[in-house]
């Protein structure tokens, strides 16, 4: 995974950890049947992350690149690398974040989902960590611009001093320019 995809690393790690757990309890390989069994068996269901296991189950054919009915570790690595490069769809993000193990707060997930279309700058229906980070940066920058513009407009009297001041030391910000005329 590339450095700029660190925001969604928790999701990719969750998929990898869930796969690793499933691979440990299924020495013959992670199959669709073994995922289903792990999700429903009372001995293993408490130890498996249900959201990530559900995602593996729902996307089994996409992950099983060679079509042999078994997800290998190299196939999962290739799949998560592809996700980190191409990003996540709204549905994938919702499903994977539902586990709470994504490393993202509920507020962050809700913010991403709320602004998904704005973040998806290339219009491919997916958001990458880079797009999310860029949106956050642009939003923070716009907030500062708005704050500055608000201060500039509302605090104008600060620049001109007080009307009740009769002191010579009290002058407007522009008084220096016209100081010869103020005498």
């Amino acid at each position: 995974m590339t450095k700029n995809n660190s925001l969604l690393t928790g999701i990719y790690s969750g998929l990898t950890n869930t796969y690793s757990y499933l691979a440990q309890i299924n020495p013959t390989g992670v199959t669709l049947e073994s995922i289903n069994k792990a999700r429903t068996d009372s001995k293993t269901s408490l130890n498996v992350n249900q959201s990530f296991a559900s995602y593996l189950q729902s996307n089994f054919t996409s992950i099983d690149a060679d079509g042999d009915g078994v997800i290998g570790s190299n196939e999962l690595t290739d799949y998560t690398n592809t996700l980190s490069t191409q990003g996540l769809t709204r549905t994938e993000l919702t499903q994977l974040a539902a586990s709470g193990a994504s490393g993202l707060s509920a507020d962050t997930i809700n913010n991403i989902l709320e602004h998904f279309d704005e973040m998806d700058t290339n219009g491919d229906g997916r958001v990458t960590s880079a797009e999310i980070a860029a949106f956050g940066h642009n939003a923070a920058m716009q907030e500062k611009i708005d704050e500055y513009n608000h201060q500039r407009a509302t605090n104008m009297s600060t620049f001109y001093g007080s009307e009740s001041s009769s002191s010579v030391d009290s002058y407007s910000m522009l008084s220096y320019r016209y100081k010869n005329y103020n005498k």
Side-chain angles (χ1 to χ4, degrees):
M1 285 179 258
T2 60
K3 184 178 178 183
N4 68 347
N5 286 302
S6 61
L7 186 64
L8 300 175
T9 298
I11 290 174
Y12 308 133
S13 295
L15 284 172
T16 303
N17 292 341
T18 300
Y19 169 81
S20 295
Y21 176 75
L22 292 170
Q24 285 177 348
I25 62 173
N26 297 294
T28 58
V30 177
T31 64
L32 199 52
E33 183 181 323
S34 67
I35 296 171
N36 188 45
K37 182 180 177 191
R39 293 186 66 212
T40 57
D41 185 331
S42 61
K43 292 179 185 177
T44 57
S45 66
L46 295 176
N47 295 321
V48 69
N49 183 305
Q50 292 293 326
S51 294
F52 291 126
S54 172
Y55 183 87
L56 291 172
Q57 192 173 19
S58 299
N59 296 284
F60 190 87
T61 55
S62 298
I63 301 168
D64 182 23
D66 63 9
D68 67 352
V70 177
I71 297 176
S73 62
N74 60 333
E75 289 173 315
L76 185 71
T77 299
D78 290 346
Y79 186 76
T80 56
N81 285 339
T82 299
L83 283 180
S84 72
T85 305
Q86 295 178 357
L88 297 167
T89 65
R90 184 186 309 265
T91 303
E92 290 170 333
L93 186 61
T94 301
Q95 184 181 9
L96 291 172
S99 70
S102 67
L104 300 173
S105 70
D107 288 341
T108 300
I109 293 293
N110 290 335
N111 190 38
I112 293 169
L113 292 172
E114 183 180 331
H115 299 285
F116 189 91
D117 294 330
E118 296 168 69
M119 290 179 186
D120 182 18
T121 55
N122 63 0
D124 66 352
R126 298 176 164 278
V127 292
T128 63
S129 286
E131 287 175 318
I132 295 168
F135 179 83
H137 173 75
N138 291 342
M141 187 171 65
Q142 186 61 49
E143 186 177 312
K144 287 295 182 188
I145 290 169
D146 291 346
E147 179 183 325
Y148 173 74
N149 286 336
H150 175 72
Q151 286 177 349
R152 186 175 57 189
T154 60
N155 294 333
M156 195 60 102
S157 62
T158 303
F159 299 126
Y160 292 104
S162 170
E163 291 178 14
S164 63
S165 176
S166 59
S167 168
V168 177
D169 295 333
S170 176
Y171 58 90
S172 77
M173 191 169 138
L174 297 175
S175 294
Y176 77 93
R177 188 169 187 164
Y178 304 105
K179 66 182 174 181
N180 293 334
Y181 301 110
N182 288 335
K183 292 182 181 177

